[in-house]
Amino acid sequence: MLRKLFVPFALNCAFIAFVVVLAGGSGGFAYLVDLPSLIVALVAPFIVAMVTHGPSRAMHAFSCPFDPEAGSDELASARSFFICFLRYLVAFTVFAVVTGSIMLLGYLSEENLVMIGRNLAIALLALFYGSVGSILFILPFLSEIDRRIAGGRL
């Protein structure tokens, strides 16, 4: 179980770090921290998906793909949770990008470069967090569930 989750997670982290370092050097990591964008793009979709499916089913979805005793109903339930989480993640990310862009446009007439830059950063960081969240937290689990279902190994 650990290898099936850790190897893709480590590879994804390495590729993301490579792109960040390539884009802005090692000092670029500090520019990727924005708590409001993180909450809107990752935390809010997870909470909504968890409430939609129930906390126990949501938490079980994270262990189910790697449980050799999990049946087809459990795998289907876990898949349903991750699809729901992915849909909310996309919706909240688009919401944050559009909101940041609208706020950015509002400051164009004032020529306030600080606020323009801040709102552009919020929009782009929300998009960044949404894509990283799906790469690290959703797609590996969905891939393992789909592999188990397609292989008939329940």
Side-chain angles (χ1 to χ4, degrees), residues 59-121:
M59 292 301 115
H60 183 63
F62 285 95
S63 63
C64 178
F66 307 102
D67 180 9
E69 303 296 319
S72 59
D73 289 343
E74 290 175 298
L75 289 170
S77 176
R79 188 175 198 291
S80 172
F81 168 76
F82 284 113
I83 294 293
C84 177
F85 185 15
L86 184 61
R87 287 178 179 159
Y88 279 116
L89 184 98
V90 169
F92 274 94
T93 299
V94 169
F95 169 75
V97 169
V98 169
T99 302
S101 300
I102 290 170
M103 297 300 290
L104 177 142
L105 293 173
Y107 286 106
L108 282 178
S109 64
E110 298 174 16
E111 296 182 14
N112 187 344
L113 294 180
V114 172
M115 293 306 290
I116 291 171
R118 183 176 295 152
N119 285 291
L120 179 60

Side-chain angles (χ1 to χ4, degrees), residues 43-55 58 81-82 84-86 88 92:
V43 177
F46 176 73
I47 290 172
V48 172
M50 187 175 67
V51 168
T52 302
H53 281 77
F81 168 76
F82 284 113
C84 177
F85 185 15
L86 184 61
Y88 279 116
F92 274 94

Side-chain angles (χ1 to χ4, degrees), residues 3 16 20 37 73 78 92 115-117 136-138 145:
R3 184 182 62 80
I16 291 168
V20 169
S37 296
D73 289 343
F92 274 94
M115 293 306 290
I116 291 171
L136 294 180
F137 303 119
I138 298 175
I145 291 169

